[in-house]
Amino acid sequence: MNIADKAIRKIVIVGGGTAGWMTAAPLALKLGEACEIVLVESPEIGTVGVGEATLPSIRYYNLTLGIDGVDFVKKTQATFKLGIDFKDWGHLGNRFFHGFGDFGPMMENRSPHMYWLRLAREFQDMPSYEQWSTATAMARRNRFLPPYGDQPAASNAFSYAFHFDAGLYALYLRDYAERHGVQRVEGMVCDVEQNPETGFITAVKLRDGRRLEGDLFIDCSGFRGLLIEGVYQAGYDDWSAMLPCNSAQAVPCARVEPLTPYTTSTARSAGWTWRIPLQHRTGNGHVYCDGFTSDAEASRVLLDGLDAAALGEPRQLRFTTGRRRKTWVKNCVAIGLSSGFLEPLESTSINFIENAVGWLIENFPDRDFRPELADEFNRLVSARYEHVRDFIILHYKVTNRSDSEFWRYCANMPIPDRLRHQIDVFRETGRVVIYEDKAFMVPSHVSMLMGLGVMPKAYDPLVDLVDLRTLQAHFAKVRDSITRTVDAMPDHAQYIARHVAAPPL
Ligand code: FAD
């Protein structure tokens, strides 16, 4: 038997939410006619359908599929996202921006915040470090233009992502996947057949008696983890002691002006609310811990904070923050909510899906399913979950809020040692410890830590090697260039109206 004889011939994806279609599309593109792909979904069960804010990596995901950017924005009612505006997180009245980009250019291979720390120590009237972030300057003035220019400059010192309608995005990818040969089946999976010797799944059975056979099964069935938990009891690490929010309510309202090129996250007495502007409406939600407030009170807080009348009743969601212990077992791989869930504070779930599909393609098995491939996939997924978990815990832990039982709990809750180390190193030295590449990097940690009020006691002594006046002049020049660049940019709403306006639904 040669290697080709062992190739995966048929993949069955269970679930047609964002994860199911985001998995089907790149697999169909990659495998083409070499492999049959079937996706089964049950309209009776429906999807979560609230993932509307993304990270810049979504652009590379779309690009890999060859998706036309303008067409995508129009068909998903998307707007542009430069980062997240955090309100009331460090203390009541506190406001800062976590933007996609750094606080000025690197100097001598050192992070610009180190030089800013030195200047802030020398000059009492030093403006906030946020003024050296192009993304923040654009956000504060509701401006948008995609990055441009080949040489490092204010005009390309930022990145961007999208806010989109999750339902429309799933439909968009469904259309793409079906055009690339994916077969969609409507039906309710109610049973599974396994090889009695190996334990591998051989088929899923639908309630109407149909059977879908396959070599590889991808579990995109959402929180329930139909295959990964239902069949393989992969286990779940529950992280709710460190991330206590376990409930959410979501409700849209009409679009209002200005159309902000960012997500807003406002801390509340038992959690936080989000505001996500789309072209046709604004998405809103309240993430909270039901041990510290009631659903009725959470709903009142959500509705009171809307910009316009709610378009319907708030939708209730429950979750347990954590991670599936293994997301690849035998011939089953879990992607999306079936693999775990971290609350949407940094819009990371869709990014997890992008990563998981990419890692599956990098570690694509044949029918031997060598366990080392599963081990490697599980290692990558676990490490990323832990990295993002710590970053999100940071938002709650490093706060001076003590005005409610919830915030007092957060101030006192235990946190992972690695996060404690990260906070201590930053507080004492200004250095950012990065455990995992290609996720939240130095500028993100600086935004959050300094935004929440952790001002380092010291800075890298090597930045003293630069002459102070030269440094001051350099910072003034960079800031001036950011101001001039942003002055020349159009308003976000104007940019959308001119270039990517979606047709009314
Ligand atoms: P689901 O949407 O639950 O889809 C599950 C699919 O499985 C459905 O098609 C269902 O029909 C099918 N299914 C289940 N059981 C069966 C069965 N027995 N037979 C057949 N089919 C079955 N992510 C972000 O990146 N950004 C955000 O801003 C964001 N906000 C969020 C806010 C909240 C409150 C929540 C809860 C999540 C948020 N997410 C966000 C996460 C995002 O919504 C999910 O990652 C994304 O929707 C993927 O969901 P999914 O496809 O895994 O599951």
Side-chain angles (χ1 to χ4, degrees):
M1 188 185 264
N2 67 34
I3 287 181
D5 292 335
K6 294 182 180 175
I8 300 282
R9 294 159 306 194
K10 185 166 176 187
I11 298 174
V12 177
I13 299 173
V14 177
T18 312
W21 291 113
M22 281 187 75
T23 301
L27 284 177
L29 180 69
K30 188 80 192 165
L31 298 170
E33 289 179 357
C35 182
E36 191 185 339
I37 302 177
V38 175
L39 183 149
V40 55
E41 64 177 315
S42 162
E44 253 176 80
I45 294 181
T47 64
V48 164
V50 282
E52 304 200 314
T54 59
L55 293 175
S57 55
I58 190 73
R59 286 168 38 217
Y60 302 103
Y61 172 88
N62 284 347
L63 206 64
T64 313
L65 295 180
I67 285 175
D68 174 65
V70 172
D71 185 56
F72 153 77
V73 170
K74 287 182 176 176
K75 294 222 172 97
T76 60
Q77 297 281 340
T79 65
F80 297 93
K81 174 182 168 187
L82 293 162
I84 305 176
D85 192 23
F86 283 94
K87 291 180 174 170
D88 293 339
W89 277 86
H91 54 83
L92 285 167
N94 160 253
R95 185 179 179 192
F96 64 91
F97 197 74
H98 174 196
F100 300 133
D102 210 340
F103 300 94
M106 296 277 281
M107 286 177 72
E108 307 280 335
N109 216 15
R110 297 207 130 57
S111 170
H113 81 280
M114 282 295 186
Y115 292 92
W116 181 89
L117 286 171
R118 178 179 172 206
L119 289 169
R121 182 152 309 180
E122 295 286 345
F123 304 105
Q124 295 291 313
D125 58 348
M126 185 68 188
S128 160
Y129 57 93
E130 284 205 328
Q131 299 204 8
W132 279 269
S133 153
T134 306
T136 308
M138 291 165 69
R140 292 284 178 242
R141 297 177 60 192
N142 291 319
R143 301 288 174 104
F144 184 77
L145 195 63
Y148 62 91
D150 299 334
Q151 300 301 315
S155 60
N156 54 35
F158 67 97
S159 189
Y160 69 94
F162 301 105
H163 303 117
F164 55 56
D165 181 319
L168 295 178
Y169 187 54
L171 278 178
Y172 192 84
L173 290 180
R174 171 179 156 188
D175 177 59
Y176 178 100
E178 287 185 321
R179 277 188 286 109
H180 284 77
V182 174
Q183 194 195 329
R184 175 177 174 270
V185 172
E186 262 186 34
M188 173 83 81
V189 174
C190 61
D191 204 359
V192 168
E193 288 176 6
Q194 286 172 272
N195 179 314
E197 275 165 33
T198 62
F200 278 38
I201 298 172
T202 49
V204 292
K205 285 164 72 176
L206 307 189
R207 197 166 53 191
D208 60 11
R210 283 176 293 169
R211 288 172 75 251
L212 300 174
E213 287 182 2
D215 299 319
L216 170 64
F217 289 80
I218 306 188
D219 184 348
C220 296
S221 64
F223 287 129
R224 54 183 58 75
L226 199 67
L227 306 181
I228 198 74
E229 198 56 46
V231 176
Y232 290 125
Q233 291 94 40
Y236 197 77
D237 287 325
D238 179 340
W239 290 335
S240 43
M242 301 176 277
L243 287 168
C245 290
N246 59 5
S247 305
Q249 293 182 17
V251 71
C253 69
R255 169 179 166 173
V256 291
E257 299 305 325
L259 189 68
T260 57
Y262 54 83
T263 304
T264 305
S265 165
T266 308
R268 304 289 182 180
S269 58
W272 59 280
T273 50
W274 80 72
R275 177 186 179 279
I276 297 178
L278 304 179
Q279 291 198 38
H280 61 322
R281 61 168 167 79
T282 304
N284 307 280
H286 188 180
V287 175
Y288 60 96
C289 176
D290 66 1
F292 293 96
T293 190
S294 65
D295 294 337
E297 175 60 10
S299 178
R300 189 194 62 73
V301 170
L302 174 63
L303 295 173
D304 282 357
L306 299 187
D307 298 327
L311 303 172
E313 287 295 311
R315 184 162 161 227
Q316 182 76 59
L317 296 138
R318 305 273 180 217
F319 52 83
T320 305
T321 295
R323 169 198 59 188
R324 198 74 61 196
R325 288 205 184 108
K326 283 188 177 166
T327 49
W328 181 337
V329 180
K330 296 186 188 283
N331 63 337
C332 169
V333 177
I335 295 181
L337 298 174
S338 58
S339 73
F341 183 62
L342 289 168
E343 56 169 278
L345 192 45
E346 286 286 350
S347 328
T348 41
S349 288
I350 288 172
N351 175 261
F352 277 130
I353 299 170
E354 295 157 26
N355 290 326
V357 183
W359 290 330
L360 173 60
I361 290 174
E362 272 168 34
N363 295 285
F364 202 72
D366 58 23
R367 293 204 311 281
D368 278 345
F369 283 95
R370 287 185 180 80
E372 292 76 13
L373 288 176
D375 291 347
E376 176 56 8
F377 181 86
N378 287 325
R379 183 189 70 78
L380 290 162
V381 173
S382 292
R384 185 56 58 91
Y385 260 102
E386 281 173 29
H387 173 83
V388 175
R389 174 199 66 189
D390 290 358
F391 189 58
I392 293 179
I393 297 172
L394 177 70
H395 295 52
Y396 290 100
K397 186 69 182 174
V398 186
T399 173
N400 294 309
R401 282 193 69 154
S402 59
D403 52 291
S404 69
E405 212 188 317
F406 173 80
W407 288 106
R408 287 190 290 277
Y409 173 85
C410 292
N412 293 313
M413 68 187 177
I415 60 169
D417 289 343
R418 35 183 268 153
L419 174 58
R420 164 64 51 215
H421 173 67
Q422 212 175 23
I423 297 169
D424 290 346
V425 170
F426 188 76
R427 185 175 274 128
E428 296 303 315
T429 76
R431 265 92 165 178
V432 176
V433 177
I434 296 290
Y435 294 104
E436 159 96 340
D437 239 357
K438 298 199 181 114
F440 293 107
M441 300 302 286
V442 173
S444 290
H445 285 84
V446 171
S447 298
M448 288 315 303
L449 284 157
M450 303 227 290
L452 289 166
V454 182
M455 229 7 102
K457 293 182 190 158
Y459 57 82
D460 182 345
L462 296 185
V463 308
D464 283 338
L465 297 176
V466 178
D467 168 69
L468 187 61
R469 295 292 153 207
T470 310
L471 190 60
Q472 207 184 6
H474 169 79
F475 263 68
K477 198 169 139 213
V478 171
R479 186 165 162 236
D480 189 46
S481 145
I482 291 175
T483 309
R484 275 185 288 106
T485 304
V486 176
D487 275 349
M489 288 181 174
D491 184 75
H492 180 219
Q494 252 173 23
Y495 180 85
I496 287 182
R498 266 188 222 145
H499 303 284
V500 285
L505 285 180

